[in-house]
Amino acid sequence: MAAYEHPAFRSALFFSASLVLQTFASPNQTPGFDIAKFKKADIVYKDVAIIGGGSAGTYSAISLKDKGKSVIVIEKKNRIGGNTETYIDPATKTPIDIGVQMFHNISVVNDYFNRFQVPLIKYGADADPNAQPVNAQYDFRTGKAVNVSFPTAEAVGAAFGKFAQFLAQYPRLNDGMFLPDPIPADFLLPLGDFVKKYDCEAILNTMFELDPALGDFTTVPAIERIRVFGLSLVEAVGTGVLTTAHHNNSELYTRAQTELLSASSLLLSSEVVASQRGQAGIKLVVSTPTGKKLIIAKRLLITIPPKVDILAPFDLSKQETGVFSKLIDVGYYTSVMKNTGIPDNVGIFNYAQDTPYNFPVLPKGYNVQTTRVPGLHQALYGTPRSSKTFPMSDDAVKADIIKGIKAIQKANPDKFNQTEPEFVFFSAHTPFYLQVKPEDIKAGHYEKLYALQGLRNTYWTGATFRAQDSSDIWRYSENEVLPKLLAGL
Ligand SMILES: Cc1cc2nc3c(=O)[nH]c(=O)nc-3n(C[C@H](O)[C@H](O)[C@H](O)COP(=O)(O)OP(=O)(O)OC[C@H]3O[C@@H](n4cnc5c(N)ncnc54)[C@H](O)[C@@H]3O)c2cc1C
């Protein structure tokens, strides 16, 4: 038991917490913070409260717990894992990872999976060489086949080599958005211009097919692409990425969830409704399935997408609002479908004949990929960058996915069956890839973002602070955020 959880310490803390509450009191203070209104069992004292139990929140909770700190994770869904989602086919019980698929082969990843005894393998190591998927390229608007001249494997390797040489000039970028001052103009070039300038256009198709969801691909500032495809991922792509041996990346989260629940360190289906954050500590009123709870913690770690509307219960300061109000994002959706009319061994990528590098016009499906279960395909969909948190309704996305597949069927009756596609699973990962416009990057957005760490006893991690990449989020959380959070705790 952490000292902070000891009953004697608790009563002393309870007393000092009352004082702290008085210190926090303001004329429009919500009555929800009145300790007297909570049953003793509904007041929770922890070292660190963590908002969001996805990749960043779960990793940080386990790491802090292993360092002897008491934590409470507040997760709005009834499961942890966030963008790591696994569909289990009810007929065959085969798991299909439809969210996070791959990890870098680095110590933070191997140690984390080892801790939960979840074995990892190189991605594709157990694939049947005689049953490799066949990739085809179609325009999801017209259903017509698109002729894409893909670079050779040698050209791709050489282009990644040049890209890595560029990255090697900025080693600190491998740890986060630690940009040089002044910011090199090349970082702000649209990606399409950047790859031309550095003669590495051949990296684009690999990047797009591995990780398409950052809005229009060629106009995104190069630094936003570098943020995910830093040296660590470029190396991982070269030497082989990892996945779980059972093809069930949620296994880690199932085990972490059991551990956190048994340590009274996790509130599922719960959300913060009001908060007080200050030098004296953190107070959160949390709505849970068993009623409101008051969390009193020394530190707060926020890992959810930090859009101003989403963070409304956190009483943002002017400084925080100023930084977060600049954020734009994309919609990203994943689904499992049956009756697509597409043969089981065929995966289709959306390309266009009339666009730079043949990349698709968004919003549209990115691809309809093969899965490990006959009769099922995975369909991914994306929107352009937007300042709206939810740029499209789920129903509109579903209708457009079906429209795209039907267009392909209709234009190619000799290749695809004319069937009615159906969703067996659908999930919206929105808002996704929070980023800012190039002029905001130039004006020091990332420096301002990182300057928020520690203010009002609040720390931040997750994709917006690092990248849409779990391995890099864990490395960033472990090396850059948790040491600061732990100082003096
Ligand atoms: C389809 C898809 C494929 C991907 N593939 C890969 C891949 O192969 N490899 C890789 O490394 N990354 C991949 N990613 C990127 C992935 O998003 C990141 O790796 C990582 O999951 C981001 O972690 P996070 O903690 O920032 O966010 P998330 O994992 O999304 O976690 C956020 C959590 O916060 C919860 N939450 C949100 N709002 C609230 C609230 N108000 N209160 C409480 N809880 C809240 C959410 O329910 C969620 O559990 C993929 C993403 C998608 C969508």
Side-chain angles (χ1 to χ4, degrees), residues 51-57 74-77 79-84 98-103 270-272 303-305 310 332 334 378 380 429 432 461-464 467-471 473:
I51 314 301
S55 176
I74 296 140
E75 165 58 48
K76 79 169 176 190
K77 292 195 177 161
R79 58 172 277 275
I80 61 170
N83 288 344
T84 303
I98 51 165
V100 175
Q101 311 251 353
M102 301 165 195
F103 307 96
S270 299
E271 273 189 74
V272 171
T303 75
I304 61 179
I310 293 175
Y332 195 23
T334 176
Q378 180 185 2
L380 291 170
H429 298 274
F432 193 77
T461 184
T464 305
Q468 285 291 355
D469 182 293
S470 282
S471 312
I473 287 172

Side-chain angles (χ1 to χ4, degrees), residues 10 38 48 107 138 144 166 173 189 202 214 220 255 266 274 318 320 399 464:
R10 274 196 194 178
F38 289 87
V48 185
S107 58
Y138 287 87
K144 290 190 182 150
F166 175 84
L173 267 189
L189 285 176
L214 38 62
V220 70
R255 294 183 187 187
L266 174 60
K318 219 171 147 190
E320 290 163 337
T464 305

